[in-house]
Amino acid sequence: MFKRPFIGISSHANKKLGNSITIISTKRYSTTTSTPNEPSLPELCNKWDEKVTNFEVKLLKKKQGNDNKETPKKYILSMFPYPSGMLHIGHLRVYAISDALNRFYKLNGFNVIHPMGWDAFGLPAENAAIERKIDPNTWTKSNILKMKEQMKLMKVNFDWDREVTTCNPDYYKFTQYIFLQMFKNGLAYRKEAEINWDPVDKTVLANEQVDSQGRSWRSGAIVEKKLLKQWFLGITQYAHDLQADLKLLKNWPSNVKTMQKNWIGESTGTELKFKVNLEINDNVQKLDDYITAFTTRVDTLFSVQYLALALNHPIVKHLATKDQKLVEFIKTAEKLGPQNDSKMGYKLRGLNVYHPLVSNKKIPVYVAPYVIGSYGYGAVMGCPGHDERDYAFWVKANEDTHNNPVKIIKTIKPLNDDCEWTTPYTSKSGKLIIPNEILGYEFFNGLTVKEAQIAITEKLEKLGLGKFTTQFKIRDWLISRQRYWGTPIPIIHCNNCGPVAVPEKDLPVMLPKVTSLASKGNPLTFVDQFVNVKCPNCGHDAKRETDTMDTFMDSSWYFFRYIDPHNEKLPFDPEMARKLLPVDMYIGGVEHAILHLLYSRFMSKFLTKIGMWPNGGDFNGEPFQKLVTQGMVHGMTYINPENKRFLKPDELDFSKNPNNPIIKSNGKNPLISYEKMSKSKYNGADPKECIAKHGSDATRAHILFQAPISDILNWDESKIIGVERWLQRILKLCNSSISSSVKYDNQMAVLKSSKSLHNDEEVKFYNTLQKLLKSITIAFTDTLSLNTVISDYMKLTNLLYDNVNNASIDNQLKLNALVKLINVIYPITPCVSEEAAAIIVKNQNWNEELSRYWPDVEPIKQPNTVSYNVVINGKMRFIYCGSKDFIELHEGEIIKILTELPGGIKYLKGKDIMKVIVKKKVISFVLK
């Protein structure tokens, strides 16, 4: 007899994590995590380690006659990690998602590409090498070995034959090759530019690597501004396509597309010129006659009250040579960092400009840190009457006017004169009103905003003071880094020839070997044998470029290399790119939503343009068809309520109540919250320990079960007990009479489950099975609701568990359902799936392994019986469940059957029946 057991936790279970769990059941199935003759879940996972890691399964061909068809491909990619030496739960979450999808599509017969590699260059490795006084290559390679071992503990089926490591010469050779293609096509160039300089790490920082306080994202140092000759890539030449083609990315999260759109910042508007009026003595340098500005709201031109310039505008730099207060203001403003919305400003003494259309109107000029020097022309017009930021800036600039109201000019009002007219009025719906003191432009009165934009720009064009134009916020990509541990830039500087490309036959330009790095900065400048070379063009003495590339350069094309990783002549074969790209599913953190994804899109479009990826597929050179951004993993965090200090685990006493510990030092309860895992908060979780306790399958399933993919996952290891119980139930089902009472045809596994349904119990069982299979399949192919997949797995397990002893359901039907369960859990819990399959094979006395396949979802069946409402003298009295042809029986037969039922005995037996009316699902009796 197979009885459904009572499941509970033993009294000696570990109070913190439930390490030792007792399943209390009938005598036959009584067990702890495993019986003495059965492996525990961790042992079981180790047992099947090699088989599941290598995906060694016998796939069953579900359809015959398709041998000549090309196998469909599926490229599933998780963002490759930086080899820091330690995987965390966040890594496990990404790989659990990607491997589940990898195994699902392989079961469905796809040619799946599921590669892994290492983003191995960069500042952390160099700093670590300096601290340890070793070669960064040694440190990096040792970390890679550690992390590969950690990945294997998860039983992830990666294509290790496709592995790439960006610091290997066979990889960065082709990073240099791609750079040279850009150089030949005019996209790679060198110029002097003002940059963010980290004085501690001694390297250039991108704007996004400087926080709102003007500090370096890594060292914490106050960033300095420097002028350096730097290498840039002309991403702005692709800015329009990068923005326009966001519409092709229908399977990207909308928030990521919005972030990309805002970063690119394509704006259509008007370029206009303000004539400069310098009222102070200036013998140092003659200023430009005009200040050029860009605006998307030229309709508000008649409400301009000031002009604002960026800190690095040429006029500002010039005036700073004579104004010490201006110098001090600039230094203060620079500390705010590149991303700020400060309302502070400095009015330039003796400088104003004339209004482009009102020649006698003077406008003051300010320096303002909110103006971006690299956007437009580093100058914007200030219209306090029609812009929130301009209004706040103008009010602050005039706050010392001795309580006099600040004058605000408004020249746009609502289309409906009865509407409330706020200050500032920022709506783009409205009509123009020209102030009485402005003469000669009365004909603009009443124009709508759109009409005014066209009319005013056309007027400016006639005067030579403006034109229609498009601007972008995005700037060209600065790739120079003054560090050792990166891809060398393959350029030679010759006094005769200028910058000369290293011949392709001489690639890679190898990093010279170093035994140790003594300090931060770029040691390549001091390696004579690296620096001093001959010019490839003229043969004269020349100098090699000593800057290395931004590591984003390495990671912007690695997904191309995965498709052809052993190609020694090209980064990849264009024909392979045509067949295998784009990436079907790209999985990684939303923190890479802007730069990495933007640079990858740019690189992909460039490679498409030069023919490396013929036609760029159906996505116009877009590399990632579907983007999946998983939420972060937060850990349980304990905080001392007295001083808000984060507490270490050994500072807490869990002995009395594991869920409500006590601080040892003061006897109080800590504040408990879930926060981003970090060493400083003592809330991290070691994946290796979790896998050792619970096994890789339970760990993977628990990670996926706890939260939807895009949500934050609050890590609570104690809840994994539910997953462990479920996995043990599957193994018990395989050891039940289901797998041995009937024979299973291994070659005919895909025969329809509904081949023979004899009663309503079987129909109900079958229909529930099909609904769950459909839900599970849709979760993998469409919604990616992998947390509900685990829930459906459990429901399917319960369906079988509840019907083990149900004699109304044929055991063959149950066995078919059990095999389907074993197959559909394989993507997430492959080891338990293998163990379950092995049990069935043993019970069936086979000499071969169980064939694997993903079951088709079959149509829902209608029950064989119908529920008839029995109505007597107009009142429904009872229900009879009978066959569909019951109402076709003779009236006497119907009466005889119904009067033998309990309800019939009560309401019909011995009564005079005057009339019987039989309809579809209603049988009515009229009694005397």
Side-chain angles (χ1 to χ4, degrees), residues 336-603:
L336 298 174
Q339 310 297 333
N340 72 84
D341 194 26
S342 170
K343 304 301 184 292
M344 65 187 295
Y346 182 87
K347 186 177 180 180
L348 294 172
R349 294 184 296 108
L351 176 70
N352 52 51
V353 294
Y354 288 108
H355 192 285
L357 297 183
V358 187
S359 58
N360 62 346
K361 181 180 179 181
K362 291 182 180 179
I363 299 170
V365 181
Y366 287 79
V367 182
Y370 76 78
V371 182
I372 303 172
S374 58
Y375 176 64
Y377 300 92
V380 296
M381 62 184 206
C383 301
H386 300 293
D387 185 273
E388 293 280 2
R389 184 188 57 194
D390 294 354
Y391 176 81
F393 180 89
W394 186 243
V395 169
K396 182 172 179 61
N398 291 275
E399 61 187 358
D400 58 348
T401 55
H402 307 291
N403 295 322
N404 293 326
V406 178
K407 182 180 179 182
I408 304 294
I409 300 173
K410 295 190 290 185
T411 58
I412 304 291
K413 72 175 185 178
L415 293 171
N416 185 349
D417 292 333
D418 296 330
C419 286
E420 183 180 354
W421 197 11
T422 58
T423 301
Y425 179 69
T426 59
S427 173
K428 294 181 181 179
S429 173
K431 57 186 177 182
L432 195 62
I433 53 169
I434 303 297
N436 294 331
E437 63 269 22
I438 297 178
L439 303 176
Y441 293 102
E442 297 83 359
F443 56 90
F444 284 150
N445 267 317
L447 293 179
T448 65
V449 166
K450 287 187 177 180
E451 292 169 343
Q453 288 174 348
I454 296 171
I456 292 173
T457 304
E458 288 177 346
K459 179 65 176 177
L460 289 168
E461 284 184 329
K462 289 179 181 178
L463 297 173
L465 295 174
K467 62 181 180 180
F468 293 105
T469 188
T470 299
Q471 293 286 339
F472 295 90
K473 286 184 181 178
I474 190 175
R475 297 294 89 195
D476 278 348
W477 177 7
L478 191 162
I479 65 164
S480 291
R481 295 295 182 268
Q482 293 69 40
R483 300 307 300 253
Y484 167 76
W485 193 235
T487 298
I489 295 175
I491 293 292
I492 293 171
H493 298 287
C494 176
N495 289 333
N496 298 326
C497 307
V500 179
V502 171
E504 288 180 14
K505 66 181 179 60
D506 294 336
L507 297 181
V509 176
M510 298 278 287
L511 277 174
K513 296 287 185 181
V514 294
T515 54
S516 65
L517 297 175
S519 63
K520 296 178 181 180
N522 190 350
L524 293 178
T525 57
F526 305 106
V527 182
D528 291 341
Q529 64 269 30
F530 177 80
V531 175
N532 297 318
V533 293
K534 298 292 183 181
C535 173
N537 282 352
C538 67
H540 284 83
D541 289 344
K543 300 286 185 183
R544 193 184 298 281
E545 174 64 61
T546 57
D547 282 355
T548 53
M549 296 188 204
D550 178 8
T551 55
F552 276 122
M553 187 72 178
D554 305 305
S555 61
S556 64
W557 74 279
Y558 76 108
F559 46 91
F560 281 97
R561 185 62 176 172
Y562 277 146
I563 65 173
D564 193 12
H566 307 296
N567 195 324
E568 296 180 357
K569 295 181 179 179
L570 290 170
F572 54 90
D573 181 3
E575 183 60 19
M576 295 287 283
R578 185 191 66 78
K579 289 181 178 180
L580 300 178
L581 289 169
V583 174
D584 295 281
M585 206 167 301
Y586 196 26
I587 306 161
V590 74
E591 65 270 20
H592 301 294
I594 297 178
L595 291 185
H596 165 62
L597 292 173
L598 188 64
Y599 293 152
S600 297
R601 295 178 62 218
F602 162 57
M603 184 69 73

Side-chain angles (χ1 to χ4, degrees), residues 27 41 74 100 118 208 337 365 440 461 480 559 579 608 644 659 675 701 709 721 748 754 783 794 844 864 892 901 915:
K27 183 177 180 180
L41 289 177
K74 190 67 68 171
W118 312 97
E208 65 280 358
V365 181
E461 284 184 329
S480 291
F559 46 91
K579 289 181 178 180
T608 296
K644 302 298 187 264
N659 297 320
E675 299 190 31
I709 287 175
I721 183 175
M748 299 298 288
S754 58
T783 63
M794 293 177 175
Q844 293 282 319
N864 294 319
L901 300 174
K915 190 176 184 181

Side-chain angles (χ1 to χ4, degrees), residues 76-91:
I76 298 169
L77 178 63
S78 52
M79 293 181 182
F80 66 170
Y82 172 76
S84 61
M86 181 61 68
L87 291 178
H88 51 69
I89 297 293
H91 287 114

Side-chain angles (χ1 to χ4, degrees), residues 147-346:
M147 292 175 73
K148 284 183 79 169
E149 288 303 313
Q150 292 167 348
M151 286 180 178
K152 289 178 180 178
L153 291 175
M154 278 198 71
K155 311 296 186 283
V156 181
N157 170 238
F158 284 127
D159 302 337
W160 287 112
D161 58 327
R162 296 182 182 273
E163 181 181 10
V164 301
T165 304
T166 61
C167 67
N168 284 350
D170 63 355
Y171 182 88
Y172 69 72
K173 167 185 178 179
F174 294 111
T175 303
Q176 293 171 343
Y177 174 92
I178 293 170
F179 173 89
L180 292 180
Q181 302 310 307
M182 290 188 163
F183 184 69
K184 292 175 184 177
N185 284 272
L187 281 180
Y189 64 94
R190 190 173 184 242
K191 72 171 184 178
E192 189 172 65
E194 185 177 71
I195 51 83
N196 302 309
W197 179 260
D198 186 326
V200 173
D201 281 332
K202 299 185 184 303
T203 191
V204 169
L205 298 173
N207 281 345
E208 65 280 358
Q209 294 171 330
V210 183
D211 68 18
S212 60
Q213 303 302 314
R215 295 184 180 277
S216 166
W217 68 302
R218 190 174 295 278
S219 73
I222 293 293
V223 170
E224 300 171 357
K225 295 291 184 180
K226 276 191 175 185
L227 278 174
L228 288 177
K229 282 191 173 181
Q230 304 283 287
W231 282 97
F232 292 83
L233 300 182
I235 191 173
T236 53
Q237 296 184 36
Y238 286 76
H240 175 74
D241 288 345
L242 289 169
Q243 176 134 317
D245 288 348
L246 288 170
K247 67 179 182 295
L248 301 175
L249 306 178
K250 301 186 186 302
N251 291 317
W252 279 40
S254 58
N255 65 318
V256 174
K257 290 191 286 186
T258 298
M259 284 188 276
Q260 292 246 324
K261 182 178 179 181
N262 292 339
W263 189 264
I264 297 165
E266 181 174 358
S267 302
T268 302
T270 303
E271 173 189 299
L272 63 165
K273 296 180 178 179
F274 293 82
K275 186 173 179 59
V276 172
N277 177 44
L278 189 61
E279 298 174 344
I280 61 175
N281 220 350
D282 182 10
N283 298 319
V284 181
Q285 175 184 344
K286 188 179 186 305
L287 298 180
D288 291 337
D289 292 333
Y290 292 93
I291 294 176
T292 303
F294 171 79
T295 180
T296 59
R297 291 295 306 274
V298 74
D299 53 288
T300 63
L301 180 60
F302 291 104
S303 65
V304 173
Q305 291 186 261
Y306 70 92
L307 203 65
L309 305 181
L311 301 176
N312 60 350
H313 193 282
I315 287 179
V316 176
K317 290 181 177 181
H318 166 65
L319 295 180
T321 61
K322 299 180 298 177
D323 187 344
Q324 185 58 33
K325 288 186 177 179
L326 175 57
V327 173
E328 293 172 2
F329 173 83
I330 292 172
K331 287 182 178 179
T332 301
E334 284 179 341
K335 292 179 182 179
L336 298 174
Q339 310 297 333
N340 72 84
D341 194 26
S342 170
K343 304 301 184 292
M344 65 187 295
Y346 182 87

Side-chain angles (χ1 to χ4, degrees), residues 714-726:
N714 290 328
W715 179 251
D716 186 350
E717 192 174 320
S718 65
K719 294 180 180 177
I720 201 171
I721 183 175
V723 171
E724 291 176 313
R725 289 172 175 170
W726 159 61

